Amino acid sequence: GGIEMAPAISGNMIYAVTQNACGEMSPAPYYYKGVTINGYLYTGDPAAAQNATLYAINLSTGQALWHYNMPNRYQGSSAVASGGVVYVVDRAGILYEFNQQTGALLKTLNLGGTGASGVSVGEDGQGNMMLFAPAGGAELGGATPGILAAYWLGVLPSTTTGSNSCSSTSTNTGTTFAGLEQ
């Protein structure tokens, strides 16, 4: 399977997802769309397990510091690292959230459609950090419905005093949340 999509880089680490889909490559000339092509033909092995693995690799040493084996294939979704969290979406539409340093699985969320695109992290008009996750729309040859889900990231609700949250009299009693808040 190999690495199909872009990895995430944060600091001195790279987070890359491999697609583990065993099959056989046969070299030979093949007739394809009216042309003879010298190349390889891939035939998947339906009896072999097909899943994915996320690796955290030190860029200076090339050493894999941790890995996580996901149960489903991984196609079309770039990894994203932000705020100490690595986000990946597998082909089954499961959004995974990992601690960047330890590889601990923080949360999973079923997006309800095919996972064929990575997430984006940004802020809304009020400065709140958001995670945007598309899913669905994976049928070839025609338009199919999909979704774009938005999740809030940041600090849980708090008690504030003073004229605004930047005031020296404000008191934040919230809890820092490093990932998705549903």
Side-chain angles (χ1 to χ4, degrees), residues 106-149:
L106 302 173
K107 186 177 282 192
T108 61
L109 181 64
N110 187 335
L111 298 174
T114 303
S117 185
V119 302
S120 295
V121 176
E123 62 180 49
D124 66 10
Q126 290 77 42
N128 299 308
M129 293 305 296
M130 303 289 293
L131 181 125
F132 301 94
E139 295 293 324
L140 297 177
T144 59
I147 64 156
L148 176 61

PDB file of all heavy atoms in Angstrom, residues 106-149:
ATOM      1  N   LEU A 106      -6.673   9.748  21.828  1.00  0.00           N
ATOM      2  CA  LEU A 106      -7.465  10.631  22.667  1.00  0.00           C
ATOM      3  C   LEU A 106      -8.958  10.465  22.415  1.00  0.00           C
ATOM      4  O   LEU A 106      -9.756  10.520  23.345  1.00  0.00           O
ATOM      5  CB  LEU A 106      -7.063  12.087  22.426  1.00  0.00           C
ATOM      6  CG  LEU A 106      -5.593  12.428  22.679  1.00  0.00           C
ATOM      7  CD1 LEU A 106      -5.294  13.849  22.252  1.00  0.00           C
ATOM      8  CD2 LEU A 106      -5.247  12.198  24.138  1.00  0.00           C
ATOM      9  N   LYS A 107      -9.316  10.290  21.136  1.00  0.00           N
ATOM     10  CA  LYS A 107     -10.738  10.207  20.806  1.00  0.00           C
ATOM     11  C   LYS A 107     -10.893   9.693  19.388  1.00  0.00           C
ATOM     12  O   LYS A 107     -10.021   9.893  18.545  1.00  0.00           O
ATOM     13  CB  LYS A 107     -11.371  11.598  20.910  1.00  0.00           C
ATOM     14  CG  LYS A 107     -12.872  11.626  20.729  1.00  0.00           C
ATOM     15  CD  LYS A 107     -13.435  13.021  20.911  1.00  0.00           C
ATOM     16  CE  LYS A 107     -13.494  13.313  22.395  1.00  0.00           C
ATOM     17  NZ  LYS A 107     -14.254  14.492  22.743  1.00  0.00           N
ATOM     18  N   THR A 108     -12.012   9.025  19.122  1.00  0.00           N
ATOM     19  CA  THR A 108     -12.412   8.693  17.756  1.00  0.00           C
ATOM     20  C   THR A 108     -13.831   9.200  17.552  1.00  0.00           C
ATOM     21  O   THR A 108     -14.599   9.324  18.519  1.00  0.00           O
ATOM     22  CB  THR A 108     -12.379   7.174  17.474  1.00  0.00           C
ATOM     23  OG1 THR A 108     -13.288   6.513  18.344  1.00  0.00           O
ATOM     24  CG2 THR A 108     -10.974   6.613  17.620  1.00  0.00           C
ATOM     25  N   LEU A 109     -14.147   9.489  16.304  1.00  0.00           N
ATOM     26  CA  LEU A 109     -15.471   9.991  15.982  1.00  0.00           C
ATOM     27  C   LEU A 109     -15.853   9.475  14.602  1.00  0.00           C
ATOM     28  O   LEU A 109     -15.104   9.668  13.640  1.00  0.00           O
ATOM     29  CB  LEU A 109     -15.468  11.521  15.992  1.00  0.00           C
ATOM     30  CG  LEU A 109     -16.770  12.225  15.693  1.00  0.00           C
ATOM     31  CD1 LEU A 109     -17.807  11.921  16.771  1.00  0.00           C
ATOM     32  CD2 LEU A 109     -16.534  13.721  15.600  1.00  0.00           C
ATOM     33  N   ASN A 110     -16.991   8.806  14.494  1.00  0.00           N
ATOM     34  CA  ASN A 110     -17.476   8.313  13.211  1.00  0.00           C
ATOM     35  C   ASN A 110     -18.174   9.465  12.499  1.00  0.00           C
ATOM     36  O   ASN A 110     -19.178   9.978  12.979  1.00  0.00           O
ATOM     37  CB  ASN A 110     -18.437   7.146  13.416  1.00  0.00           C
ATOM     38  CG  ASN A 110     -18.836   6.495  12.113  1.00  0.00           C
ATOM     39  OD1 ASN A 110     -18.815   7.109  11.047  1.00  0.00           O
ATOM     40  ND2 ASN A 110     -19.211   5.234  12.190  1.00  0.00           N
ATOM     41  N   LEU A 111     -17.626   9.862  11.339  1.00  0.00           N
ATOM     42  CA  LEU A 111     -18.170  10.990  10.592  1.00  0.00           C
ATOM     43  C   LEU A 111     -19.392  10.617   9.765  1.00  0.00           C
ATOM     44  O   LEU A 111     -20.045  11.478   9.195  1.00  0.00           O
ATOM     45  CB  LEU A 111     -17.096  11.593   9.691  1.00  0.00           C
ATOM     46  CG  LEU A 111     -15.889  12.165  10.426  1.00  0.00           C
ATOM     47  CD1 LEU A 111     -14.820  12.591   9.433  1.00  0.00           C
ATOM     48  CD2 LEU A 111     -16.290  13.327  11.324  1.00  0.00           C
ATOM     49  N   GLY A 112     -19.699   9.321   9.670  1.00  0.00           N
ATOM     50  CA  GLY A 112     -20.908   8.896   8.984  1.00  0.00           C
ATOM     51  C   GLY A 112     -20.816   8.847   7.466  1.00  0.00           C
ATOM     52  O   GLY A 112     -21.831   8.841   6.794  1.00  0.00           O
ATOM     53  N   GLY A 113     -19.611   8.831   6.929  1.00  0.00           N
ATOM     54  CA  GLY A 113     -19.428   8.737   5.482  1.00  0.00           C
ATOM     55  C   GLY A 113     -17.993   8.363   5.180  1.00  0.00           C
ATOM     56  O   GLY A 113     -17.155   8.291   6.083  1.00  0.00           O
ATOM     57  N   THR A 114     -17.691   8.117   3.919  1.00  0.00           N
ATOM     58  CA  THR A 114     -16.345   7.717   3.528  1.00  0.00           C
ATOM     59  C   THR A 114     -15.334   8.806   3.874  1.00  0.00           C
ATOM     60  O   THR A 114     -15.576   9.982   3.625  1.00  0.00           O
ATOM     61  CB  THR A 114     -16.298   7.435   2.010  1.00  0.00           C
ATOM     62  OG1 THR A 114     -17.266   6.446   1.718  1.00  0.00           O
ATOM     63  CG2 THR A 114     -14.932   6.965   1.586  1.00  0.00           C
ATOM     64  N   GLY A 115     -14.210   8.397   4.449  1.00  0.00           N
ATOM     65  CA  GLY A 115     -13.132   9.331   4.761  1.00  0.00           C
ATOM     66  C   GLY A 115     -12.176   9.406   3.595  1.00  0.00           C
ATOM     67  O   GLY A 115     -11.362   8.519   3.388  1.00  0.00           O
ATOM     68  N   ALA A 116     -12.274  10.451   2.797  1.00  0.00           N
ATOM     69  CA  ALA A 116     -11.442  10.576   1.608  1.00  0.00           C
ATOM     70  C   ALA A 116     -10.717  11.919   1.568  1.00  0.00           C
ATOM     71  O   ALA A 116     -10.142  12.271   0.563  1.00  0.00           O
ATOM     72  CB  ALA A 116     -12.283  10.394   0.351  1.00  0.00           C
ATOM     73  N   SER A 117     -10.749  12.663   2.667  1.00  0.00           N
ATOM     74  CA  SER A 117     -10.102  13.967   2.701  1.00  0.00           C
ATOM     75  C   SER A 117      -9.682  14.268   4.129  1.00  0.00           C
ATOM     76  O   SER A 117     -10.322  13.838   5.079  1.00  0.00           O
ATOM     77  CB  SER A 117     -11.088  15.031   2.207  1.00  0.00           C
ATOM     78  OG  SER A 117     -10.450  16.276   2.131  1.00  0.00           O
ATOM     79  N   GLY A 118      -8.595  14.997   4.282  1.00  0.00           N
ATOM     80  CA  GLY A 118      -8.094  15.348   5.608  1.00  0.00           C
ATOM     81  C   GLY A 118      -8.878  16.474   6.239  1.00  0.00           C
ATOM     82  O   GLY A 118      -9.698  17.127   5.599  1.00  0.00           O
ATOM     83  N   VAL A 119      -8.625  16.700   7.502  1.00  0.00           N
ATOM     84  CA  VAL A 119      -9.280  17.773   8.235  1.00  0.00           C
ATOM     85  C   VAL A 119      -8.520  19.082   8.036  1.00  0.00           C
ATOM     86  O   VAL A 119      -7.377  19.087   7.593  1.00  0.00           O
ATOM     87  CB  VAL A 119      -9.385  17.444   9.746  1.00  0.00           C
ATOM     88  CG1 VAL A 119     -10.138  16.149   9.974  1.00  0.00           C
ATOM     89  CG2 VAL A 119      -8.026  17.401  10.395  1.00  0.00           C
ATOM     90  N   SER A 120      -9.165  20.176   8.387  1.00  0.00           N
ATOM     91  CA  SER A 120      -8.534  21.494   8.419  1.00  0.00           C
ATOM     92  C   SER A 120      -8.774  22.096   9.782  1.00  0.00           C
ATOM     93  O   SER A 120      -9.823  21.883  10.390  1.00  0.00           O
ATOM     94  CB  SER A 120      -9.136  22.421   7.356  1.00  0.00           C
ATOM     95  OG  SER A 120      -8.868  21.939   6.070  1.00  0.00           O
ATOM     96  N   VAL A 121      -7.804  22.851  10.264  1.00  0.00           N
ATOM     97  CA  VAL A 121      -7.931  23.550  11.534  1.00  0.00           C
ATOM     98  C   VAL A 121      -7.845  25.047  11.249  1.00  0.00           C
ATOM     99  O   VAL A 121      -6.971  25.489  10.507  1.00  0.00           O
ATOM    100  CB  VAL A 121      -6.825  23.129  12.527  1.00  0.00           C
ATOM    101  CG1 VAL A 121      -6.913  23.932  13.813  1.00  0.00           C
ATOM    102  CG2 VAL A 121      -6.913  21.641  12.822  1.00  0.00           C
ATOM    103  N   GLY A 122      -8.776  25.816  11.796  1.00  0.00           N
ATOM    104  CA  GLY A 122      -8.785  27.260  11.596  1.00  0.00           C
ATOM    105  C   GLY A 122      -9.642  27.911  12.657  1.00  0.00           C
ATOM    106  O   GLY A 122     -10.103  27.251  13.594  1.00  0.00           O
ATOM    107  N   GLU A 123      -9.867  29.202  12.505  1.00  0.00           N
ATOM    108  CA  GLU A 123     -10.705  29.879  13.491  1.00  0.00           C
ATOM    109  C   GLU A 123     -11.911  30.497  12.818  1.00  0.00           C
ATOM    110  O   GLU A 123     -11.882  30.842  11.643  1.00  0.00           O
ATOM    111  CB  GLU A 123      -9.909  30.926  14.271  1.00  0.00           C
ATOM    112  CG  GLU A 123      -9.345  32.059  13.479  1.00  0.00           C
ATOM    113  CD  GLU A 123      -8.571  33.025  14.356  1.00  0.00           C
ATOM    114  OE1 GLU A 123      -7.718  32.598  15.143  1.00  0.00           O
ATOM    115  OE2 GLU A 123      -8.842  34.230  14.236  1.00  0.00           O
ATOM    116  N   ASP A 124     -12.989  30.616  13.614  1.00  0.00           N
ATOM    117  CA  ASP A 124     -14.200  31.233  13.095  1.00  0.00           C
ATOM    118  C   ASP A 124     -14.083  32.754  13.242  1.00  0.00           C
ATOM    119  O   ASP A 124     -13.047  33.274  13.653  1.00  0.00           O
ATOM    120  CB  ASP A 124     -15.449  30.664  13.783  1.00  0.00           C
ATOM    121  CG  ASP A 124     -15.544  31.001  15.259  1.00  0.00           C
ATOM    122  OD1 ASP A 124     -14.760  31.834  15.768  1.00  0.00           O
ATOM    123  OD2 ASP A 124     -16.417  30.412  15.938  1.00  0.00           O
ATOM    124  N   GLY A 125     -15.139  33.473  12.909  1.00  0.00           N
ATOM    125  CA  GLY A 125     -15.137  34.939  12.953  1.00  0.00           C
ATOM    126  C   GLY A 125     -14.950  35.521  14.339  1.00  0.00           C
ATOM    127  O   GLY A 125     -14.593  36.693  14.477  1.00  0.00           O
ATOM    128  N   GLN A 126     -15.181  34.736  15.393  1.00  0.00           N
ATOM    129  CA  GLN A 126     -14.998  35.209  16.765  1.00  0.00           C
ATOM    130  C   GLN A 126     -13.654  34.770  17.345  1.00  0.00           C
ATOM    131  O   GLN A 126     -13.397  34.980  18.525  1.00  0.00           O
ATOM    132  CB  GLN A 126     -16.131  34.697  17.667  1.00  0.00           C
ATOM    133  CG  GLN A 126     -17.492  35.338  17.395  1.00  0.00           C
ATOM    134  CD  GLN A 126     -18.152  34.776  16.148  1.00  0.00           C
ATOM    135  OE1 GLN A 126     -18.119  33.579  15.898  1.00  0.00           O
ATOM    136  NE2 GLN A 126     -18.733  35.640  15.345  1.00  0.00           N
ATOM    137  N   GLY A 127     -12.804  34.135  16.546  1.00  0.00           N
ATOM    138  CA  GLY A 127     -11.489  33.708  17.029  1.00  0.00           C
ATOM    139  C   GLY A 127     -11.480  32.350  17.702  1.00  0.00           C
ATOM    140  O   GLY A 127     -10.470  31.953  18.268  1.00  0.00           O
ATOM    141  N   ASN A 128     -12.593  31.625  17.676  1.00  0.00           N
ATOM    142  CA  ASN A 128     -12.647  30.283  18.258  1.00  0.00           C
ATOM    143  C   ASN A 128     -11.988  29.291  17.311  1.00  0.00           C
ATOM    144  O   ASN A 128     -12.259  29.301  16.109  1.00  0.00           O
ATOM    145  CB  ASN A 128     -14.105  29.855  18.497  1.00  0.00           C
ATOM    146  CG  ASN A 128     -14.807  30.769  19.466  1.00  0.00           C
ATOM    147  OD1 ASN A 128     -14.323  31.014  20.556  1.00  0.00           O
ATOM    148  ND2 ASN A 128     -15.945  31.287  19.044  1.00  0.00           N
ATOM    149  N   MET A 129     -11.136  28.431  17.836  1.00  0.00           N
ATOM    150  CA  MET A 129     -10.486  27.419  17.014  1.00  0.00           C
ATOM    151  C   MET A 129     -11.489  26.329  16.655  1.00  0.00           C
ATOM    152  O   MET A 129     -12.237  25.859  17.507  1.00  0.00           O
ATOM    153  CB  MET A 129      -9.272  26.823  17.730  1.00  0.00           C
ATOM    154  CG  MET A 129      -8.136  27.817  17.924  1.00  0.00           C
ATOM    155  SD  MET A 129      -7.577  28.605  16.393  1.00  0.00           S
ATOM    156  CE  MET A 129      -6.936  27.215  15.489  1.00  0.00           C
ATOM    157  N   MET A 130     -11.478  25.950  15.374  1.00  0.00           N
ATOM    158  CA  MET A 130     -12.427  24.976  14.855  1.00  0.00           C
ATOM    159  C   MET A 130     -11.681  23.907  14.063  1.00  0.00           C
ATOM    160  O   MET A 130     -10.630  24.161  13.491  1.00  0.00           O
ATOM    161  CB  MET A 130     -13.442  25.663  13.917  1.00  0.00           C
ATOM    162  CG  MET A 130     -14.223  26.803  14.547  1.00  0.00           C
ATOM    163  SD  MET A 130     -15.419  26.265  15.767  1.00  0.00           S
ATOM    164  CE  MET A 130     -16.589  25.383  14.759  1.00  0.00           C
ATOM    165  N   LEU A 131     -12.264  22.709  14.024  1.00  0.00           N
ATOM    166  CA  LEU A 131     -11.765  21.622  13.200  1.00  0.00           C
ATOM    167  C   LEU A 131     -12.866  21.300  12.190  1.00  0.00           C
ATOM    168  O   LEU A 131     -14.012  21.104  12.580  1.00  0.00           O
ATOM    169  CB  LEU A 131     -11.442  20.393  14.049  1.00  0.00           C
ATOM    170  CG  LEU A 131     -10.896  19.229  13.235  1.00  0.00           C
ATOM    171  CD1 LEU A 131      -9.560  18.796  13.802  1.00  0.00           C
ATOM    172  CD2 LEU A 131     -11.864  18.084  13.251  1.00  0.00           C
ATOM    173  N   PHE A 132     -12.509  21.278  10.912  1.00  0.00           N
ATOM    174  CA  PHE A 132     -13.468  21.005   9.851  1.00  0.00           C
ATOM    175  C   PHE A 132     -13.132  19.648   9.244  1.00  0.00           C
ATOM    176  O   PHE A 132     -11.995  19.410   8.852  1.00  0.00           O
ATOM    177  CB  PHE A 132     -13.418  22.099   8.786  1.00  0.00           C
ATOM    178  CG  PHE A 132     -13.716  23.456   9.362  1.00  0.00           C
ATOM    179  CD1 PHE A 132     -12.689  24.290   9.766  1.00  0.00           C
ATOM    180  CD2 PHE A 132     -15.021  23.877   9.529  1.00  0.00           C
ATOM    181  CE1 PHE A 132     -12.955  25.536  10.313  1.00  0.00           C
ATOM    182  CE2 PHE A 132     -15.304  25.118  10.079  1.00  0.00           C
ATOM    183  CZ  PHE A 132     -14.266  25.948  10.474  1.00  0.00           C
ATOM    184  N   ALA A 133     -14.128  18.753   9.180  1.00  0.00           N
ATOM    185  CA  ALA A 133     -13.904  17.376   8.725  1.00  0.00           C
ATOM    186  C   ALA A 133     -14.936  17.006   7.659  1.00  0.00           C
ATOM    187  O   ALA A 133     -16.114  16.876   7.969  1.00  0.00           O
ATOM    188  CB  ALA A 133     -14.000  16.413   9.905  1.00  0.00           C
ATOM    189  N   PRO A 134     -14.489  16.818   6.398  1.00  0.00           N
ATOM    190  CA  PRO A 134     -15.412  16.364   5.360  1.00  0.00           C
ATOM    191  C   PRO A 134     -15.531  14.848   5.350  1.00  0.00           C
ATOM    192  O   PRO A 134     -14.594  14.146   5.718  1.00  0.00           O
ATOM    193  CB  PRO A 134     -14.748  16.867   4.067  1.00  0.00           C
ATOM    194  CG  PRO A 134     -13.296  16.909   4.393  1.00  0.00           C
ATOM    195  CD  PRO A 134     -13.188  17.184   5.876  1.00  0.00           C
ATOM    196  N   ALA A 135     -16.669  14.337   4.930  1.00  0.00           N
ATOM    197  CA  ALA A 135     -16.865  12.887   4.804  1.00  0.00           C
ATOM    198  C   ALA A 135     -17.929  12.635   3.757  1.00  0.00           C
ATOM    199  O   ALA A 135     -18.790  13.477   3.506  1.00  0.00           O
ATOM    200  CB  ALA A 135     -17.284  12.275   6.135  1.00  0.00           C
ATOM    201  N   GLY A 136     -17.879  11.437   3.162  1.00  0.00           N
ATOM    202  CA  GLY A 136     -18.858  11.050   2.157  1.00  0.00           C
ATOM    203  C   GLY A 136     -18.419  11.474   0.770  1.00  0.00           C
ATOM    204  O   GLY A 136     -17.288  11.886   0.546  1.00  0.00           O
ATOM    205  N   GLY A 137     -19.327  11.350  -0.187  1.00  0.00           N
ATOM    206  CA  GLY A 137     -19.048  11.775  -1.549  1.00  0.00           C
ATOM    207  C   GLY A 137     -17.969  10.975  -2.244  1.00  0.00           C
ATOM    208  O   GLY A 137     -17.230  11.515  -3.044  1.00  0.00           O
ATOM    209  N   ALA A 138     -17.871   9.676  -1.984  1.00  0.00           N
ATOM    210  CA  ALA A 138     -16.761   8.888  -2.516  1.00  0.00           C
ATOM    211  C   ALA A 138     -17.124   8.003  -3.696  1.00  0.00           C
ATOM    212  O   ALA A 138     -16.293   7.244  -4.147  1.00  0.00           O
ATOM    213  CB  ALA A 138     -16.174   8.032  -1.408  1.00  0.00           C
ATOM    214  N   GLU A 139     -18.328   8.080  -4.201  1.00  0.00           N
ATOM    215  CA  GLU A 139     -18.697   7.262  -5.355  1.00  0.00           C
ATOM    216  C   GLU A 139     -18.021   7.812  -6.600  1.00  0.00           C
ATOM    217  O   GLU A 139     -18.013   9.015  -6.833  1.00  0.00           O
ATOM    218  CB  GLU A 139     -20.216   7.276  -5.557  1.00  0.00           C
ATOM    219  CG  GLU A 139     -20.986   6.638  -4.424  1.00  0.00           C
ATOM    220  CD  GLU A 139     -20.740   5.150  -4.315  1.00  0.00           C
ATOM    221  OE1 GLU A 139     -20.578   4.488  -5.343  1.00  0.00           O
ATOM    222  OE2 GLU A 139     -20.706   4.653  -3.181  1.00  0.00           O
ATOM    223  N   LEU A 140     -17.453   6.924  -7.397  1.00  0.00           N
ATOM    224  CA  LEU A 140     -16.830   7.343  -8.643  1.00  0.00           C
ATOM    225  C   LEU A 140     -17.872   7.423  -9.747  1.00  0.00           C
ATOM    226  O   LEU A 140     -18.828   6.667  -9.764  1.00  0.00           O
ATOM    227  CB  LEU A 140     -15.726   6.350  -9.039  1.00  0.00           C
ATOM    228  CG  LEU A 140     -14.557   6.252  -8.064  1.00  0.00           C
ATOM    229  CD1 LEU A 140     -13.582   5.180  -8.528  1.00  0.00           C
ATOM    230  CD2 LEU A 140     -13.853   7.585  -7.943  1.00  0.00           C
ATOM    231  N   GLY A 141     -17.693   8.345 -10.651  1.00  0.00           N
ATOM    232  CA  GLY A 141     -18.555   8.419 -11.813  1.00  0.00           C
ATOM    233  C   GLY A 141     -19.817   9.230 -11.624  1.00  0.00           C
ATOM    234  O   GLY A 141     -20.666   9.267 -12.510  1.00  0.00           O
ATOM    235  N   GLY A 142     -19.988   9.899 -10.513  1.00  0.00           N
ATOM    236  CA  GLY A 142     -21.185  10.705 -10.341  1.00  0.00           C
ATOM    237  C   GLY A 142     -21.163  11.477  -9.045  1.00  0.00           C
ATOM    238  O   GLY A 142     -20.353  11.217  -8.164  1.00  0.00           O
ATOM    239  N   ALA A 143     -22.041  12.430  -8.960  1.00  0.00           N
ATOM    240  CA  ALA A 143     -22.137  13.244  -7.750  1.00  0.00           C
ATOM    241  C   ALA A 143     -22.807  12.440  -6.642  1.00  0.00           C
ATOM    242  O   ALA A 143     -23.815  11.768  -6.877  1.00  0.00           O
ATOM    243  CB  ALA A 143     -22.955  14.490  -8.030  1.00  0.00           C
ATOM    244  N   THR A 144     -22.243  12.472  -5.456  1.00  0.00           N
ATOM    245  CA  THR A 144     -22.833  11.822  -4.290  1.00  0.00           C
ATOM    246  C   THR A 144     -22.805  12.808  -3.137  1.00  0.00           C
ATOM    247  O   THR A 144     -21.935  13.676  -3.076  1.00  0.00           O
ATOM    248  CB  THR A 144     -22.069  10.539  -3.888  1.00  0.00           C
ATOM    249  OG1 THR A 144     -20.717  10.874  -3.609  1.00  0.00           O
ATOM    250  CG2 THR A 144     -22.109   9.508  -4.997  1.00  0.00           C
ATOM    251  N   PRO A 145     -23.742  12.684  -2.208  1.00  0.00           N
ATOM    252  CA  PRO A 145     -23.765  13.631  -1.092  1.00  0.00           C
ATOM    253  C   PRO A 145     -22.615  13.397  -0.126  1.00  0.00           C
ATOM    254  O   PRO A 145     -22.090  12.299   0.004  1.00  0.00           O
ATOM    255  CB  PRO A 145     -25.112  13.348  -0.416  1.00  0.00           C
ATOM    256  CG  PRO A 145     -25.439  11.941  -0.786  1.00  0.00           C
ATOM    257  CD  PRO A 145     -24.827  11.724  -2.146  1.00  0.00           C
ATOM    258  N   GLY A 146     -22.223  14.459   0.523  1.00  0.00           N
ATOM    259  CA  GLY A 146     -21.207  14.395   1.559  1.00  0.00           C
ATOM    260  C   GLY A 146     -21.531  15.435   2.611  1.00  0.00           C
ATOM    261  O   GLY A 146     -22.512  16.167   2.501  1.00  0.00           O
ATOM    262  N   ILE A 147     -20.706  15.482   3.647  1.00  0.00           N
ATOM    263  CA  ILE A 147     -20.915  16.457   4.719  1.00  0.00           C
ATOM    264  C   ILE A 147     -19.614  17.183   5.013  1.00  0.00           C
ATOM    265  O   ILE A 147     -18.532  16.709   4.678  1.00  0.00           O
ATOM    266  CB  ILE A 147     -21.407  15.792   6.021  1.00  0.00           C
ATOM    267  CG1 ILE A 147     -20.334  14.837   6.572  1.00  0.00           C
ATOM    268  CG2 ILE A 147     -22.728  15.077   5.814  1.00  0.00           C
ATOM    269  CD1 ILE A 147     -20.458  14.591   8.051  1.00  0.00           C
ATOM    270  N   LEU A 148     -19.730  18.324   5.621  1.00  0.00           N
ATOM    271  CA  LEU A 148     -18.593  19.026   6.193  1.00  0.00           C
ATOM    272  C   LEU A 148     -18.993  19.324   7.632  1.00  0.00           C
ATOM    273  O   LEU A 148     -19.879  20.142   7.883  1.00  0.00           O
ATOM    274  CB  LEU A 148     -18.267  20.321   5.455  1.00  0.00           C
ATOM    275  CG  LEU A 148     -17.149  21.154   6.071  1.00  0.00           C
ATOM    276  CD1 LEU A 148     -15.833  20.380   6.091  1.00  0.00           C
ATOM    277  CD2 LEU A 148     -16.996  22.467   5.342  1.00  0.00           C
ATOM    278  N   ALA A 149     -18.382  18.612   8.573  1.00  0.00           N
ATOM    279  CA  ALA A 149     -18.694  18.796   9.992  1.00  0.00           C
ATOM    280  C   ALA A 149     -17.697  19.776  10.593  1.00  0.00           C
ATOM    281  O   ALA A 149     -16.521  19.767  10.242  1.00  0.00           O
ATOM    282  CB  ALA A 149     -18.622  17.458  10.720  1.00  0.00           C
TER     283      ALA A 149
END
